Amino acid sequence: MEDSIRKLKELVDSSDNIVFFGGAGVSTESGIPDFRSVDGLYHQKYAYPPETILSHTFYMRRKAEFFDFYRAKMLAPDARPNAAHRKLAEWERSGKLKAVITQNIDGLHQKAGSREVLELHGSVLRNYCERCGQFYGVEAVASSTGVPKCNCGGDIKPDVVLYEEGLDEDVMARALHYIRQADMLIIGGTSLVVYPAAGLVRYYRGNKLVVINKGDVGASLDADLVINGPIGQVLSQV
């Protein structure tokens, strides 16, 4: 591990256009469970599989049940940024890191101080009325019961991308631009099995591709450095 940390530090020191692409593993050290690990949501027992509950179809047909699950499992109001979030924000302030591209919806990168954060799957911190478009913070959902309602009577929907819904084309285009321009791409805390987001990393053209993850990475990447371990623990040593 010491040799890998040393190599990672050398790569970071020699780079000034770093892009970070992260997933659920970035937030597990903040106490937010991931989906696919042994203890993740996909291995817990519910009346319906999480993939079904978090789908557009289920949301439209059974909103009250959707929000029961959503409040219990998708909101983490007490979560705080960990060492990974803080290190990435530090690199951005120093001018080394240009963007964080995340599959997470928890807003912890922004809480740590990162400014250029591209949220591929949206954010639990943003919610909007399906009727009038008014935006609401997370409290509008967290403190409500049943289906949260707008003042106009419309339903409030989380601004997150559900299964069966498409990703925001503008966010995808910006992410693609950053990845293509990067001199170093760090992939952290993701198994790269959720598409189309995972396909973005294939547009990287540099020669400093780093993967930091607990467990295997789904895509067959020709990485220049692979570190198997918790990303917060790894980045705190750089």
Side-chain angles (χ1 to χ4, degrees):
M1 179 69 87
E2 286 185 11
D3 289 342
S4 296
I5 298 295
R6 189 178 304 111
K7 175 71 180 298
L8 176 59
K9 190 176 188 310
E10 290 172 358
L11 292 174
V12 170
D13 288 345
S14 64
S15 304
D16 60 8
N17 192 343
I18 302 171
V19 171
F20 179 82
F21 183 99
V26 178
S27 292
T28 53
E29 289 168 88
S30 293
I32 297 178
D34 67 1
F35 274 56
R36 290 178 172 79
S37 70
V38 173
D39 300 318
L41 286 178
Y42 286 169
H43 295 273
Q44 299 178 24
K45 303 299 181 182
Y46 299 98
Y48 302 91
E51 305 100 309
T52 299
I53 300 173
L54 296 174
S55 69
H56 178 80
T57 298
F58 192 92
Y59 171 80
M60 296 301 294
R61 293 177 179 174
R62 312 175 80 102
K63 284 188 180 180
E65 290 176 74
F66 168 90
F67 277 106
D68 285 344
F69 177 89
Y70 183 85
R71 290 187 191 95
K73 297 299 179 182
M74 306 306 292
L75 301 182
D78 298 326
R80 295 291 177 265
N82 61 53
H85 300 106
R86 293 192 294 271
K87 179 61 70 171
L88 293 169
E90 175 189 317
W91 286 346
E92 185 184 36
R93 287 192 297 272
S94 70
K96 281 189 168 295
L97 185 137
K98 304 306 180 186
V100 168
I101 302 167
T102 180
Q103 299 173 86
N104 295 340
I105 58 176
D106 50 46
L108 291 181
H109 285 292
Q110 292 92 328
K111 285 184 180 179
S114 290
R115 293 172 178 261
E116 188 64 3
V117 181
L118 281 65
E119 297 171 312
L120 297 176
H121 296 154
S123 173
V124 299
L125 304 182
R126 298 188 304 270
N127 306 272
Y128 64 92
C129 173
E130 294 183 288
R131 179 184 293 177
C132 73
Q134 180 174 336
F135 268 82
Y136 288 87
V138 67
E139 278 303 312
V141 174
S143 62
S144 64
T145 56
V147 180
K149 295 288 185 179
C150 175
N151 295 327
C152 77
D155 295 341
I156 297 174
K157 183 181 186 293
D159 190 16
V160 299
V161 179
L162 302 176
Y163 289 101
E164 304 168 349
E165 295 180 343
L167 302 189
D168 184 283
E169 291 184 6
D170 179 60
V171 174
M172 286 286 282
R174 289 167 58 207
L176 190 59
H177 170 77
Y178 276 118
I179 289 173
R180 279 177 165 159
Q181 299 298 318
D183 65 357
M184 179 177 183
L185 177 63
I186 302 175
I187 299 169
T190 175
S191 53
L192 289 181
V193 296
V194 178
Y195 282 81
L200 285 171
V201 302
R202 299 196 178 278
Y203 288 89
Y204 175 61
R205 295 292 179 261
N207 59 1
K208 289 187 278 189
L209 176 59
V210 176
V211 175
I212 306 170
N213 191 49
K214 287 176 65 178
D216 295 331
V217 173
S220 54
L221 297 174
D222 186 19
D224 299 283
L225 176 63
V226 177
I227 301 177
N228 192 317
I231 187 166
Q233 180 180 316
V234 171
L235 292 189
S236 67
Q237 301 178 65
V238 179

